Amino acid sequence: MRESRYKLVIFDWDGTLMDSAAKIINCMQLAADQCGVTVPSAEEVGHIIGISLKPAIKQLFNTDDEALAERLVLAYKEAFVSQDTTPCPLFDGVESLLASLRESGAILAVATGKARRGLSRAWQQTNTGHYFTTSRCADDAESKPSPDMLLQILDELDIQASDAVMIGDTTYDMQMAKSIGMDRIGVSYGVHAQVHLEALQPKAVVHSVSELQPLLLTSPALLSC
C-alpha cells in the first residue's frame, strides 16, 4: 500500500482540481459589460483568478470605488449562478488522486478564493466534499497571497507547516505557502505560467494531475517471497 509523503495535502480549487477558468473569465466579462465598465481580456481576468472576489475585482478594474466593486461582485455572482452555462468538470484524474491520498492516510483540505457557498456547490456537483477534512474560503480568511488560510488550517488540525504541502495553479498559492515555509507544488495547466510559478521555488511544477501521484505518494511496498 502506498503511504502519503505528507500528513496534510492542501489544494487550491479553481484551476487546480476543477477546470473552471473559462467560466470565471466569461462571467467576469459579462459582469463588466452589465456594469458599463471596460470589458477585460481573458488574460487580464486569468491573472486575478485565485484572489478572493472583491479584492480581485478591485485589482482587475483598478478601482477603490466600493459601490462599483459591489455592483460588479453581484453581477459576477448572478452570471456565475444563473446566466453562464460553461461546464466546470474536474480535471482528469482528480477523483482517483483524492481517493488514493485518503487511502494512504493523508488528511486533505482546500484553501480557495471561492466563497463558501461556491465551494459547497462545487462539492455537491462533483460529489467530492467527503474527501476533505476541512477548508478555508474567502468568507473565512484574508485573501491570498496572505497565508491566513493555511495558518488557520494548520491550527485547526494541529499540524506543522513542515508536514504539509500546498498545491495550486497561481503564484498566490505559491506565495502563501512560501511565506510560512510550507512545501508547495505548482500545476501548469491552470491560469499562471510555469515560469512565474517556478520563480517561487516550488518542489515541482507538474503538467497534469497524474504527475502529482509520485510526488505525494510513496511507491507501493514490494511483497517478499
Side-chain angles (χ1 to χ4, degrees):
M1 177 179 173
R2 292 188 174 191
E3 294 183 356
S4 175
R5 298 182 187 275
Y6 296 92
K7 288 183 182 178
L8 171 63
V9 181
I10 307 172
F11 290 96
D12 170 55
W13 188 262
D14 292 309
T16 300
L17 298 181
M18 176 171 273
D19 187 3
S20 47
K23 179 163 184 169
I24 292 170
I25 289 166
N26 193 47
C27 290
M28 193 64 75
Q29 292 174 331
L30 285 171
D33 184 59
Q34 290 170 13
C35 292
V37 297
T38 302
V39 176
S41 67
E43 182 178 2
E44 289 170 333
V45 179
H47 184 70
I48 55 86
I49 291 176
I51 307 174
S52 300
L53 184 54
K54 185 177 279 189
I57 280 174
K58 286 184 171 183
Q59 179 175 317
L60 177 62
F61 296 99
N62 191 26
T63 183
D64 290 320
D65 185 333
E66 286 290 335
L68 174 59
E70 189 58 32
R71 291 207 319 274
L72 285 161
V73 165
L74 294 174
Y76 173 85
K77 289 180 177 179
E78 174 66 21
F80 199 95
V81 174
S82 304
Q83 297 175 16
D84 185 84
T85 58
T86 305
C88 293
L90 295 174
F91 288 105
D92 289 345
V94 162
E95 190 151 10
S96 174
L97 175 65
L98 296 178
S100 295
L101 285 169
R102 283 299 299 268
E103 289 172 7
S104 75
I107 298 170
L108 306 185
V110 170
T112 177
K114 294 180 85 66
R116 173 62 57 189
R117 184 176 68 171
L119 181 61
S120 296
R121 184 170 55 245
W123 277 354
Q124 182 177 23
Q125 290 170 347
T126 59
N127 191 30
T128 53
H130 61 95
Y131 290 113
F132 301 99
T133 299
T134 192
S135 60
R136 288 299 184 275
C137 300
D139 317 65
D140 311 316
E142 295 174 12
S143 176
K144 299 175 184 180
S146 165
D148 188 35
M149 291 182 186
L150 299 184
L151 291 172
Q152 286 192 33
I153 290 171
L154 292 173
D155 184 61
E156 176 187 341
L157 300 174
D158 193 24
I159 292 176
Q160 299 299 309
S162 57
D163 292 321
V165 62
M166 176 69 203
I167 301 169
D169 69 313
T170 71
T171 56
Y172 312 121
D173 300 309
M174 302 300 99
Q175 287 170 341
M176 67 193 299
K178 186 174 187 289
S179 69
I180 59 171
M182 182 184 289
D183 281 0
R184 51 216 170 267
I185 298 172
V187 303
S188 68
Y189 52 79
V191 295
H192 284 186
Q194 180 176 346
V195 64
H196 299 310
L197 297 172
E198 289 177 339
L200 290 155
Q201 296 90 46
K203 298 290 286 185
V205 175
V206 301
H207 311 296
S208 67
V209 172
S210 63
E211 291 180 47
L212 289 169
Q213 291 262 12
L215 295 174
L216 299 175
L217 297 168
T218 62
S219 297
L222 297 176
L223 295 176
S224 57
C225 297

